[in-house]
Amino acid sequence: MKVARVHPANHPLTGSVLCARDKSLSHRAAILAALAQGTTKVSGFSFCEDCLSTLSCLRQFGVRIETYPDVGKVVVESGGWKELTEPEDVLYAGNSGTTARLLCGVASWIEGLTIITGDASLRRRPMRRVIEPLSLTGIQIGGRDNDRFLPVFIRGKYPLAPFEYHLPVASAQVKSALLLAALGANAPSCVREPFASRDHTENMLSYLGIRLEREPGRIVIHPFAKPLKAKDFSLPGDISSAAFLAAAALMVPDSRIYIQDVGLNPTRSGFLECVSRMGGQIKIHNLREEFGERRGDLEVAFSSLHGISIGKEIIPSLIDEVPILSVLATQAQGVTSISGAEELRVKECDRLRAIYLGLKTLGAKVEERNDGLVIEGPVKLRGGRVESFGDHRIAMSFAVAGLIAREAVEIVDVDCVKISYPEFFDHLQLLGCKRTEFYESEEEGEKNCL
């Protein structure tokens, strides 16, 4: 198991980096390209482990996919949604909840049997939230432990029954699974959500010509009316990945960095809103839009921060950034409270618990609550050894914490970073964080200290 030892930054972070490509958009671009007739070129594809899981599963539906990781491109050739076929083997989604849940929606109208499973972590994540609404379409669908977990089976058929469903919790993955299933119905379906979650699926479906009626909290989607024609996608960078670099620059004195080509979808920009409220200096340059998705460049500078209240209404737009916001809060003057974030307990790990344990180890003033955290700052974090619990966002958050601690911070199990941001440590080094060591065992770590 790989351990990273991150030493405190001894000089400002400076320079420019091209943001890691957007994982959420990459999943969706590949899936929608598989539904379209013809050849789709996806540039700016994220070659993280999660997105590679999606490509692997799509190939089992009969889709032809060529990858060009050196140039960040994927080429998808498909006969269209009518040509997708029953897989010959179990689909393996790895650690990717997006892969598992969205493909449940697609498999609903593919004739035959689809079985989806994942790694040990993914097999502990909730699936009933997808299984129950998809059963409204008239298909046979179920999972392990009374429909709670993977493996999940779907016995698909076409056409599906239309449905109306009100999501009890805002979830882009569940919403997207339902929208994808609704494409195979014989009449329009309606999905409602309590708060706005990321709307990438809606934007990309509209781009491909699917008819959607959208208003706050409600989406009516019309089924396939004719073959979808392939259209190319050029994907922006991932705001959730950029958040780690931005946080580092906000906390390391005298830093100023530029993060190029970041996705700035309003349903994903909660991190930027919270940083602005905390007094953080982030400027947006070169703002533009493609297939309904905003993108631009970020200029981030060291800032004096103050605590804020982060409530449930904004959590869906920053659900992946809560760990790094919690690290930022340790350096902010006053109290930062995070509430309405109970969804974090059913991510790759119990992220609220993982954040709390790690911050306590490093000497932060932090209180754990059922649905969030209360953090008081500023506190000069001490060095120490923390667990990532195999969660990529926990690992990266504590790597950033190491830059502003008194002594080195060791993060156990950093290979999980490859799940979403394989270039993370390379990008930190590019910006000036050159004091990071890696080792495979405690014995080697002790030797490196000498």
Side-chain angles (χ1 to χ4, degrees):
M1 186 175 294
K2 184 175 288 186
V3 178
R5 180 186 290 122
V6 181
H7 293 268
N10 55 8
H11 55 76
L13 308 185
T14 59
S16 178
V17 66
L18 180 66
C19 185
R21 299 297 86 186
D22 193 290
K23 182 165 76 92
S24 294
L25 286 168
S26 294
H27 285 297
R28 290 160 171 81
I31 290 170
L32 293 179
L35 307 188
Q37 193 176 69
T39 300
T40 301
K41 297 175 183 176
V42 183
S43 58
F45 189 85
S46 172
F47 283 91
C48 64
E49 289 184 351
D50 274 7
C51 293
L52 293 177
S53 293
T54 290
L55 297 184
S56 175
C57 291
L58 290 173
R59 288 187 176 105
Q60 290 188 247
F61 285 123
V63 181
R64 296 172 297 282
I65 301 173
E66 297 292 335
T67 59
Y68 305 89
D70 290 347
V71 293
K73 185 171 73 172
V74 166
V75 178
V76 181
E77 294 184 22
S78 176
W81 60 273
K82 287 185 176 181
E83 300 300 316
L84 301 189
T85 58
E86 177 186 51
E88 294 184 357
D89 202 349
V90 174
L91 303 187
Y92 181 70
N95 188 251
S96 176
T98 303
T99 304
R101 290 173 177 144
L102 269 61
L103 290 185
C104 281
V106 172
S108 297
W109 42 259
I110 296 177
E111 297 279 354
L113 177 68
T114 299
I115 300 173
I116 304 174
T117 191
D119 67 10
S121 171
L122 188 58
R123 293 196 305 273
R124 293 191 297 269
R125 294 178 66 182
M127 288 298 294
R128 183 178 290 157
R129 57 180 59 184
V130 175
I131 291 171
E132 284 188 349
L134 286 179
S135 67
L136 299 176
T137 66
I139 62 169
Q140 297 178 38
I141 181 171
R144 180 174 60 85
D145 195 9
N146 194 29
D147 297 341
R148 294 178 63 204
F149 303 116
L150 293 172
V152 164
F153 78 89
I154 306 105
R155 193 169 291 282
K157 66 175 185 177
Y158 180 83
L160 303 178
F163 59 88
E164 180 165 347
Y165 188 73
H166 196 149
L167 294 168
V169 176
S171 168
Q173 291 181 4
V174 179
K175 176 179 67 174
S176 296
L178 297 179
L179 294 176
L180 291 169
L183 294 173
N186 56 15
S189 298
C190 177
V191 180
R192 301 177 184 269
E193 56 183 347
F195 298 103
S197 62
R198 59 187 65 176
D199 62 358
H200 302 313
T201 303
E202 297 96 300
N203 290 339
M204 297 173 113
L205 286 169
S206 295
Y207 172 70
L208 289 179
I210 293 294
R211 184 180 167 193
L212 294 170
E213 297 157 19
R214 301 162 68 177
E215 57 187 61
R218 179 176 179 269
I219 306 160
V220 175
I221 179 167
H222 294 253
F224 293 121
K226 56 184 178 181
L228 294 184
K229 296 300 182 184
K231 297 177 73 173
D232 293 343
F233 290 97
S234 174
L235 306 183
D238 188 355
I239 183 64
S240 298
S241 297
F244 297 102
L245 305 182
L250 288 165
M251 294 188 292
V252 175
D254 300 321
S255 296
R256 184 178 297 273
I257 67 171
Y258 296 84
I259 311 173
Q260 303 169 34
D261 196 22
V262 182
L264 299 173
N265 182 307
T267 63
R268 294 278 302 280
S269 61
F271 173 79
L272 298 180
E273 180 180 334
C274 286
V275 166
S276 177
R277 288 169 53 207
M278 295 174 82
Q281 299 180 55
I282 298 185
K283 297 179 180 177
I284 298 173
H285 302 283
N286 194 24
L287 185 64
R288 57 218 188 263
E289 184 173 303
E290 293 183 43
F291 61 90
E293 295 284 336
R294 295 182 193 172
R295 60 206 295 170
D297 307 328
L298 301 182
E299 177 186 357
V300 189
F302 171 72
S303 305
S304 296
L305 305 173
H306 56 261
I308 61 170
S309 176
I310 301 173
K312 63 181 181 181
E313 68 286 345
I314 197 173
I315 290 294
S317 69
L318 51 76
I319 191 70
D320 289 330
E321 291 79 65
V322 170
I324 191 60
L325 275 170
S326 300
V327 175
L328 272 178
T330 68
Q331 305 307 299
Q333 183 70 45
V335 174
T336 296
S337 64
I338 302 170
S339 60
E342 58 269 25
E343 179 72 8
L344 288 170
R345 295 201 182 276
V346 292
K347 289 291 189 177
E348 283 83 337
C349 71
D350 181 342
R351 283 183 177 164
L352 291 180
R353 187 67 178 166
I355 297 163
Y356 168 77
L357 292 173
L359 289 181
K360 286 290 285 186
T361 297
L362 300 182
K365 297 178 180 178
V366 55
E367 175 188 346
E368 181 184 11
R369 295 185 175 175
N370 289 337
D371 68 340
L373 300 164
V374 178
I375 302 163
E376 184 178 352
V379 172
K380 185 64 176 177
L381 300 178
R382 59 175 176 250
R385 187 178 178 90
V386 298
E387 296 280 345
S388 76
F389 299 96
D391 189 307
H392 50 125
R393 302 201 191 278
I394 299 298
M396 290 185 282
S397 294
F398 286 117
V400 172
L403 300 177
I404 47 109
R406 288 194 181 96
E407 298 174 330
V409 172
E410 294 185 339
I411 306 99
V412 179
D413 190 4
V414 294
D415 274 336
C416 59
V417 167
K418 297 175 184 175
I419 289 169
S420 66
Y421 195 173
E423 315 93 339
F424 171 67
F425 286 105
D426 292 336
H427 284 177
L428 279 183
Q429 186 175 37
L430 185 64
L431 296 173
C433 303
K434 302 183 185 299
R435 303 175 67 218
T436 300
E437 302 148 5
F438 302 93
Y439 58 91
E440 298 291 344
S441 66
E442 290 190 30
E443 290 75 16
E444 186 179 343
E446 291 167 357
K447 181 178 66 178
N448 287 343
C449 289
L450 299 177

